Structures are given as C-alpha cells and as structure tokens.
Amino acid sequence: MIEEKDLTPVGKFQKTHALKGELNAILDIDPEYFAEGHPLIVNVEGAFVPFYAESVRGKGSTTSLIKLTDVDTQEEAQGLVNETIYADKAAVREFMADEDEEFMLEEDLEGYRVVDEEFGEIGVLERVDSTTQNTLFVVKDSEGEEIYIPVVDDFIVAINEEEKEILTNLPEELINLNQKKL
C-alpha cells in the first residue's frame, strides 16, 4: 500500500489533450523521470494509485503531454484533471542526486530557521504548501503566527544545511502583506 508519508508532490495534471487520453501536466521534475518507468502516483478517492507513462513529451517550456497506460479516452483522462502528481520520495532523491548533487526535497527544509538579511529572524519553516499555483513556505514566527513566503529564487539567498537555516532577501511589501513589522 502506498502511503502519503513516502510521497512528494512533483506536478499537477491541468487538462485533457485531444481524444486519446493524453493529459497536460506541469511537472516540477524532469519528465525523463517518468519516461524511465517511475510511476505517476495520484490520490484517487482516498487511495494513492500508481499510473505509468506510455509516453511523455514536452509542450512548451513548462508543460508536458503525458499519455498514461490504460487511459485511452478523453473521458478516462478527465477524472485526473486538476489532480496532484506524486512520486516516491526515495526514488526522486536517487534520480535527482544523479542530476544535481545539491538536490533537496522541499519538505527536507521543514524545521529550518528562516532569517532575512534585512529583517532578521522571521521564524521556523513549518511546512511547504504546494497546493496553490505558487509554492509557499509557511513560516511560524515566535508568536505562533503564520507567515507565507513564495518559494522564489530571487527571495532565497542561501540554504545552510549545517546550521539548518534559510537566508532570505524579502521585499518589505511582502513583510507588510503578512502584517508583520520585523
């Protein structure tokens, strides 16, 4: 049985494509991962179900077209629209380690202190929220309030694994949006 604790979100099905069961997907991982035979795992009515890619091809810079084995009609594919695509954490780590020695899963950062170059300590990273179109760091400050920080390369200066610290350079407007005066 596939358990959620062993999975990491790696993309989302957007919509069907054509009539033979292909799906548009935004992937946060190299599409080659699925082309190599790793399953795309989807929560179907409370159970995590593995699907295998019959074919994966790029469509633009951020979208892939995926044809799943045994999903052969637009109607069958429609049931997967807007569903998050998961992959096995251990398999993703292994795949990404071959590609990038500095790779970390976002959830590996949970518990790290978040410190801004200008505003000082923001709080502790409680979780990574990938349920929205833009991934967010949910940081809990010293008063227990949640601060939402978009996961954007321009905002993240460095990640220090040894100190378990994320150094940021956040715009003042983002701090004000979170109703914080640090």
Side-chain angles (χ1 to χ4, degrees):
M1 177 177 216
I2 300 171
E3 295 186 34
E4 188 170 9
K5 68 177 179 57
D6 298 327
L7 303 177
T8 186
V10 293
K12 186 171 188 173
F13 288 120
Q14 291 186 295
K15 60 184 180 178
T16 61
H17 177 79
L19 302 174
K20 295 187 179 183
E22 269 189 316
L23 289 147
N24 281 301
I26 293 181
L27 298 175
D28 300 327
I29 190 169
D30 186 336
E32 186 65 27
Y33 175 81
F34 298 112
E36 288 181 4
H38 295 280
L40 297 92
I41 301 169
V42 179
N43 186 335
V44 178
E45 298 179 8
F48 289 99
V49 178
F51 291 87
Y52 292 88
E54 194 173 290
S55 67
V56 180
R57 57 190 171 105
K59 179 186 178 198
S61 61
T62 60
T63 306
S64 295
L65 292 175
I66 301 174
K67 168 66 176 82
L68 300 174
T69 303
D70 298 326
V71 176
D72 297 318
T73 67
Q74 184 175 14
E75 293 76 24
E76 292 171 337
Q78 185 64 42
L80 298 171
V81 169
N82 293 322
E83 292 293 336
T84 299
I85 302 167
Y86 296 91
D88 180 78
K89 283 182 189 178
V92 170
R93 278 190 183 97
E94 184 179 318
F95 175 81
M96 294 304 291
D98 293 342
E99 307 249 323
D100 180 0
E101 290 186 24
E102 295 181 24
F103 174 76
M104 290 179 72
L105 291 174
E106 291 168 346
E107 53 262 27
D108 292 339
L109 299 173
E110 292 172 5
Y112 276 45
R113 288 178 340 138
V114 179
V115 179
D116 188 77
E117 290 180 316
E118 184 176 338
F119 301 104
E121 183 143 351
I122 306 288
V124 175
L125 180 63
E126 184 175 81
R127 62 187 164 84
V128 178
D129 183 351
S130 299
T131 62
T132 61
Q133 187 169 2
N134 297 313
T135 302
L136 301 169
F137 283 157
V138 181
V139 178
K140 192 163 273 192
D141 71 8
S142 61
E143 297 171 12
E145 298 291 322
E146 289 185 340
I147 298 169
Y148 299 92
I149 300 173
V151 180
V152 178
D153 287 341
D154 291 344
F155 294 168
I156 301 170
V157 176
I159 297 174
N160 183 332
E161 289 180 63
E162 203 170 283
E163 298 289 325
K164 292 195 175 270
E165 182 178 277
I166 301 168
L167 182 62
T168 63
N169 183 2
L170 301 175
E172 185 175 350
E173 296 82 14
L174 180 63
I175 297 298
N176 290 338
L177 179 66
N178 279 286
Q179 301 176 336
K180 288 289 177 201
K181 298 281 186 197
L182 301 176

